[in-house]
Amino acid sequence: MSGEHAPSTPVAAERASLLTPFNIVTGLIVFVGLILTILRFTKGLAGVTNLSDNNPWGIWISFDLLCGVALAAGGYTTSAACYVFGLKRYHSAVRPAILTAFLGYALVVFALHYDVGRPWRLPYPIFYSPGPTSVLFEVGLCVFLYLNVLFLEWTPSALEWLGLKKWRNVMVKMTLALTIFGVVLSTMHQSSLGALFLIAPSKLHPLWYSSYLPVFFFISSIAAGLSMVIFEGTLSHRYLHDKMDDHYLSTHDQVHLGFARGAAVVLVIYFFLKLVGLALDNNWHYLLTGYGAMYSLELLGFVALPALMYAVGVREKNLKIIRWAAVITVLGIVLNRFNVSWFAFNWQLPAAERYFPSWMEVAVSIYIVTVGLLVFRFIATRMPIFYEHPDFKEAELEEEEPHEHETRPHPQSFGH
Amino acid sequence: MQRRQFLGLLGATAATAVLGKPAQAGPKHFTGYPDSYGVLFDATRCIGCRRCEAGCNRVNHLPAPARPFDDLSVLDTKRRTDGRTFTVVNRYETAKGIVYRKNQCQHCLEPACASSCFVAAYDKTPQGAVTWNEKVCVGCRYCMIACPFDIPTFEYWDPLAPKIMKCHLCYPHITAGKLRVPGCVGACPTEALVYGRRADLIREARQRFHLFPGRYLDHIYGEHEMGGTNWLYISGVPFSQIGLREDLGVTPAPEFTSGALAAVPIIAAAWPALLLGIYAISQAKDKAARQEKREALKEALAKAKAECDAELAKVKAKAEADKKAAIEREVKKALEEAAKAQAAKEEGE
């Protein structure tokens, strides 16, 4: 850390520091990703994927789109908690969550360029030939609009970094409007990602097919968002500690406790909603089948268990349990999205006609996540994400005890 | 899909909510375009000769298959349509012996593909065919997810301009006057395929049930399945035995998603109001809390001041009293001393 803000680092030392294990691994992943990109756009989808006429959607939709959007839900949940519900003690969590969500959505769109047949036509549904009877139209429109909202919500950090005071203040004034717009759009497309599968009752296993699918997707996205904030906060705390100011660090545990409390409640609600869905469609008898085992695992191991862990963690103020609960919840969301769009989809096809991703599909997904990680690190090490820019203290904080947390400017605030 | 077009463009969601345009067909039941055309397939007449496949291939200028159409050994394995094939015939071993069945797009009255397409590339023509428009398709393949019959296929091998491929009931050829009946129908040597108005085909099927007692099951597959299709099947064996799912139900595909889509304008209208309400409450709560704090502080200050004043007054009073007492004491002492001196003086005299 001491060497980092010496303004005149020798070029040689800088070069040596580039060959870190992190850089080598990510560099390799990006290199493979670029090769696969060339392959995808010269050999077609058949050249890199195991997709087929029976299995038109693979892991790029299951993971990159469905999981990506769900796990980026921290943006709307955090900003809603802070700005709409007035829980200002979570203020320090807003910027990291917004940045993650913005990058998450940007990567979803980036990933779609690999999956769809003619990516340059992606604006068509919105600007050229809309098909409003389609749930996918709703998803596309909301994701497009929300990506713009997230970009605008993120701009204050960039404008502070660039020192553009006037524009930054204009953007900050729009915070409430953007937050509300963001929550509306998120509600719609988080749920409509579930609604995508409503049209295929004959293909999705009855344990996962439900007219409540949109509600399930929406409620679980809140749990995902809250858990991702805890999960990422823990990772950032470990790896980007030196970029955090005292205010962020002093509220860190408090934020995690609060989010854990919220996640526990949401997971319990989600658990009972799932049971209601099971009861309404009278699907109990499926529980004793192989798919029933998978369903029980998802519901007991990845919803009920983390809910309990969160509750215990909050009661005993045990952040360790809370962080494990966050990891399990995040994995549970991934499992649920995989179940709906992959494991339990096309369940009636014979095993030989089922889909399993090629290594290249998995590699492209890893490459896309890596790109996201690199951009996140680039921004978080330069812009005021984990600390408040000394020139721009949030006014509302002054309303609280102003002397409790003296925000000290970070030595690297002007990270040019 | 014009009939069910209820969601407008950008921002029209809110307008829909305001205008209260009915989002659904409601009590109305769509029975298909009047006088639309279709094909009746009779499984008791099909001999599995694959001439229909050859006819389709020819009129649509599709690439030649790996094995020629007169090679019937391909029937040994179950096949499906793909990016180079609009129709396939499969052979099924059933309780009543070998039965052949042709498969292709069923041309639903209310197609799942059309209702699921986010660029409206599909069109249900009043003539009956479901067509696909290459000019707008993005290649998202949601139609393939949506189709209950697994019909649309994709040119996965094409890197830049892959197309969705499926039977179009020879709509372009027939409207251009190049064909009178679809390529497959024209090539069928046994009249297992009949092209005509859908209503007439249903009548024809019933007539065959009547004319050949015991030969058919009393069920026209496609009359009601998934809300009805323009392609119809009759058979002597249960349809599930010749690869047609009998668990699809009679609900038209668009109805599965209509509820979710109808919720969109409600969310768009209700959420901002709800959220602003929550915001206002939280603001009011904060303000009240601040006000209370300020008042409590003021009160405390006032009380402290009053206490302080009282204390001060007390101290002052005490000091005054002490001073007075001290003076009195001093005076008394002085007087006593004076008196003593006086006494001493008097004694000395």
Side-chain angles (χ1 to χ4, degrees):
Chain A
M1 169 144 180
S2 55
E4 273 176 31
H5 32 86
S8 55
T9 321
V11 179
E14 210 165 69
R15 245 185 226 149
S17 73
L18 277 177
L19 280 176
T20 59
F22 178 86
N23 285 356
I24 292 170
V25 172
T26 51
L28 269 175
I29 294 173
V30 170
F31 178 71
V32 172
L34 291 175
I35 288 180
L36 291 174
T37 305
I38 295 169
L39 223 55
R40 154 67 184 90
F41 289 102
T42 52
K43 304 264 179 215
L45 283 165
V48 287
T49 73
N50 281 347
L51 296 173
S52 66
D53 287 327
N54 283 330
N55 303 288
W57 283 0
I59 196 172
W60 290 348
I61 297 295
S62 294
F63 183 73
D64 303 4
L65 176 71
L66 295 180
C67 296
V69 166
L71 299 179
Y76 86 90
T77 42
T78 313
S79 53
C82 180
Y83 297 123
V84 177
F85 291 82
L87 306 173
K88 288 185 190 114
R89 59 182 178 278
Y90 301 144
H91 187 258
S92 64
V94 170
R95 280 198 175 181
I98 292 282
L99 175 61
T100 315
F102 171 50
L103 292 178
Y105 278 83
L107 290 172
V108 165
V109 176
F110 179 57
L112 276 179
H113 282 73
Y114 288 78
D115 187 76
V116 305
R118 308 188 196 204
W120 51 92
R121 284 185 178 176
L122 276 172
Y124 273 27
I126 295 152
F127 296 110
Y128 182 61
S129 177
T133 59
S134 171
V135 177
L136 195 58
F137 174 76
E138 191 197 336
V139 173
L141 185 59
C142 288
V143 168
F144 165 73
L145 290 176
Y146 190 44
L147 187 59
N148 287 300
V149 167
L150 282 169
F151 173 75
L152 294 177
E153 285 187 299
W154 165 78
T155 48
S157 356
L159 293 170
E160 286 175 15
W161 179 53
L162 297 168
L164 298 171
K165 215 166 213 168
K166 215 169 113 191
W167 283 106
R168 180 264 179 200
N169 289 340
V170 170
M171 294 318 299
V172 165
K173 282 207 182 80
M174 289 166 61
T175 301
L176 180 66
L178 285 174
T179 302
I180 288 181
F181 200 33
V183 175
V184 172
L185 290 169
S186 292
T187 309
M188 291 203 275
H189 75 260
Q190 292 285 0
S191 57
S192 52
L193 281 175
L196 280 181
F197 296 91
L198 287 178
I199 202 156
S202 60
K203 294 186 181 176
L204 183 53
H205 191 283
L207 280 174
W208 283 274
Y209 187 90
S210 163
S211 50
Y212 283 152
L213 258 178
V215 181
F216 292 160
F217 267 54
F218 174 59
I219 303 284
S220 57
S221 83
I222 300 175
L226 297 172
S227 301
M228 274 305 274
V229 170
I230 297 174
F231 179 61
E232 288 158 359
T234 308
L235 287 185
S236 305
H237 203 270
R238 181 168 302 168
Y239 297 108
L240 294 167
H241 196 91
D242 57 314
K243 304 286 178 260
M244 296 167 176
D245 66 11
D246 292 349
H247 173 53
Y248 182 92
L249 292 173
S250 68
T251 56
H252 182 78
D253 291 356
Q254 218 36 52
V255 168
H256 285 196
L257 276 175
F259 274 46
R261 183 175 288 128
V265 173
V266 173
L267 282 173
V268 168
I269 292 172
Y270 178 65
F271 181 81
F272 283 107
L273 265 181
K274 287 283 274 187
L275 286 189
V276 169
L278 203 60
L280 272 184
D281 294 331
N282 200 12
N283 282 332
W284 301 99
H285 60 286
Y286 285 110
L287 285 180
L288 294 172
T289 63
Y291 280 101
M294 176 63 114
Y295 184 87
S296 307
L297 173 73
E298 185 195 315
L299 205 56
L300 297 175
F302 292 92
V303 181
L305 177 68
L308 190 72
M309 287 170 71
Y310 270 134
V312 170
V314 169
R315 201 183 62 174
E316 296 178 357
K317 299 219 186 315
N318 185 335
L319 286 164
K320 212 167 175 188
I321 297 183
I322 286 173
R323 277 160 199 160
W324 276 111
V327 172
I328 295 173
T329 308
V330 167
L331 290 176
I333 296 294
V334 173
L335 179 65
N336 173 257
R337 301 310 194 244
F338 276 4
N339 275 331
V340 172
S341 62
W342 173 7
F343 304 149
F345 194 79
N346 274 339
W347 67 292
Q348 288 180 320
L349 284 186
E353 290 174 30
R354 295 296 305 274
Y355 161 84
F356 194 82
S358 70
W359 73 266
M360 291 181 278
E361 286 174 270
V362 178
V364 167
S365 289
I366 294 173
Y367 154 70
I368 285 166
V369 172
T370 307
V371 169
L373 197 69
L374 289 174
V375 179
F376 184 89
R377 202 176 68 143
F378 179 87
I379 293 176
T381 50
R382 283 163 177 79
M383 297 181 195
I385 302 295
F386 293 109
Y387 61 91
E388 281 195 80
H389 197 290
D391 297 353
F392 305 97
K393 297 285 172 56
E394 284 295 320
E396 60 249 42
L397 284 174
E398 288 159 18
E399 290 166 359
E400 297 185 339
E401 290 78 16
H403 302 297
E404 202 170 76
H405 38 69
E406 276 296 328
T407 8
R408 223 182 312 128
H410 189 271
Q412 264 200 302
S413 339
F414 300 96
H416 295 294
Chain B
M1 274 295 92
Q2 307 92 316
R3 202 176 65 83
R4 286 179 181 270
Q5 202 136 8
F6 60 87
L7 247 177
L9 285 176
L10 277 155
T13 45
T16 316
V18 172
L19 297 171
K21 205 162 131 202
Q24 267 315 295
K28 260 196 279 169
H29 174 57
F30 183 63
T31 49
Y33 290 107
D35 299 333
S36 68
Y37 282 78
V39 175
L40 175 66
F41 170 84
D42 189 332
T44 68
R45 294 190 184 188
C46 179
I47 55 168
C49 65
R50 300 184 67 208
R51 300 265 183 89
C52 52
E53 291 184 26
C56 174
N57 180 278
R58 192 172 55 245
V59 303
N60 291 306
H61 309 290
L62 297 171
R67 284 196 273 174
F69 286 109
D70 51 13
D71 180 355
L72 296 184
S73 67
V74 299
L75 293 172
D76 294 344
T77 48
K78 194 189 148 217
R79 295 175 300 148
R80 61 152 295 152
T81 56
D82 60 39
R84 299 177 175 96
T85 330
F86 290 165
T87 184
V88 292
V89 175
N90 276 312
R91 187 175 67 203
Y92 298 91
E93 310 273 354
T94 73
K96 279 189 169 182
I98 284 171
V99 178
Y100 300 94
R101 206 255 308 173
K102 179 183 178 305
N103 193 28
Q104 72 299 303
C105 176
Q106 321 296 335
H107 300 279
C108 305
L109 301 185
E110 299 182 62
C113 53
S115 99
S116 69
C117 182
F118 73 158
V119 284
Y122 283 94
D123 193 20
K124 174 72 181 176
T125 64
Q127 289 83 352
V130 176
T131 58
W132 170 83
N133 176 7
E134 190 195 336
K135 294 205 171 67
V136 294
C137 177
V138 180
C140 73
R141 310 187 297 286
Y142 185 36
C143 50
M144 298 166 73
I145 292 282
C147 177
F149 301 105
D150 289 320
I151 291 303
T153 65
F154 191 67
E155 296 180 326
Y156 286 104
W157 60 86
D158 188 329
L160 296 173
K163 292 192 287 289
I164 291 284
M165 300 292 269
K166 75 166 196 69
C167 157
H168 43 46
L169 208 56
C170 285
Y171 177 79
H173 313 312
I174 290 172
T175 48
K178 280 191 243 163
L179 285 179
R180 213 172 42 78
V181 299
C184 55
V185 177
C188 182
T190 63
E191 289 186 25
L193 296 169
V194 181
Y195 181 70
R197 290 182 204 281
R198 185 174 184 266
D200 294 340
L201 295 176
I202 290 171
R203 214 169 295 131
E204 166 69 20
R206 294 250 161 77
Q207 205 157 9
R208 288 187 197 178
F209 294 169
H210 182 69
L211 283 173
F212 306 101
R215 186 169 176 177
Y216 298 98
L217 295 174
D218 189 15
H219 181 182
I220 305 169
Y221 192 95
E223 188 180 5
H224 301 298
E225 275 75 12
M226 293 304 295
T229 60
N230 275 58
W231 200 286
L232 304 163
Y233 298 85
I234 51 175
S235 159
V237 296
F239 293 101
S240 55
Q241 290 181 21
I242 54 170
L244 284 165
R245 287 182 67 168
E246 293 187 278
D247 59 349
L248 296 179
V250 296
T251 310
E255 267 172 41
F256 294 126
T257 51
S258 59
L261 286 173
V264 169
I266 298 171
I267 294 171
W271 246 226
L274 186 71
L275 294 170
L276 279 173
I278 293 171
Y279 173 73
I281 290 169
S282 82
Q283 287 295 94
K285 217 174 94 193
D286 281 0
K287 204 176 158 193
R290 278 201 302 278
Q291 185 77 20
E292 229 164 70
K293 214 163 154 190
R294 217 174 291 141
E295 253 151 42
L297 194 67
K298 215 195 273 169
E299 217 169 88
L301 275 176
K303 202 172 156 203
K305 191 167 181 285
E307 265 170 20
C308 192
D309 285 351
E311 192 72 20
L312 197 67
K314 226 174 21 216
V315 171
K316 245 190 207 159
K318 195 165 172 257
E320 200 72 26
D322 284 355
K323 208 167 139 196
K324 215 168 156 191
I327 291 171
E328 264 169 26
R329 216 166 35 239
E330 287 301 310
V331 169
K332 206 175 158 194
K333 216 163 112 191
L335 281 175
E336 267 170 21
E337 255 163 45
K340 235 188 244 171
Q342 189 72 30
K345 205 177 165 190
E346 274 170 16
E347 231 170 79
E349 272 172 19

